[in-house]
Amino acid sequence: MRTILIQINSNSLGDTIAIMPCVEYYMSKNDDNVLVKSNPRYNSLFKESYSNIKFYEEGMTYDKKIEL
């Protein structure tokens, strides 16, 4: 099983809100572990609503990066 990093390059809160359901959908269709790297100040807004999404922290390793 691979670990995929999805990096959200936009600092816009709206972009981050819009992409989260897409990340969940991607996770439901793949057996990969998924990490999300977004603007750190937004992570706390999503941790409760998207409890199955893991947010990237320094030092975590991944096999492939997808930049959005």
Side-chain angles (χ1 to χ4, degrees):
M1 185 178 311
R2 300 179 309 168
T3 300
I4 307 298
L5 174 67
I6 298 177
Q7 182 171 335
I8 304 168
N9 290 325
S10 174
N11 284 322
S12 168
L13 177 58
D15 290 345
T16 307
I17 289 170
I19 200 66
M20 289 303 178
C22 300
V23 171
E24 272 198 323
Y25 180 78
Y26 177 85
M27 290 174 65
S28 73
K29 297 298 179 187
N30 296 286
D31 291 329
D32 299 326
N33 293 321
V34 175
L35 299 171
V36 173
K37 184 176 183 180
S38 63
N39 188 320
R41 66 180 173 202
Y42 301 146
N43 291 351
S44 63
L45 301 173
F46 299 104
K47 284 187 177 182
E48 189 173 317
S49 298
Y50 295 97
S51 59
N52 57 333
I53 294 178
K54 295 178 184 170
F55 290 91
Y56 177 82
E57 296 175 12
E58 282 302 317
M60 293 178 130
T61 60
Y62 53 89
D63 301 304
K64 181 179 177 183
K65 182 197 295 190
I66 299 172
E67 293 189 47
L68 304 174

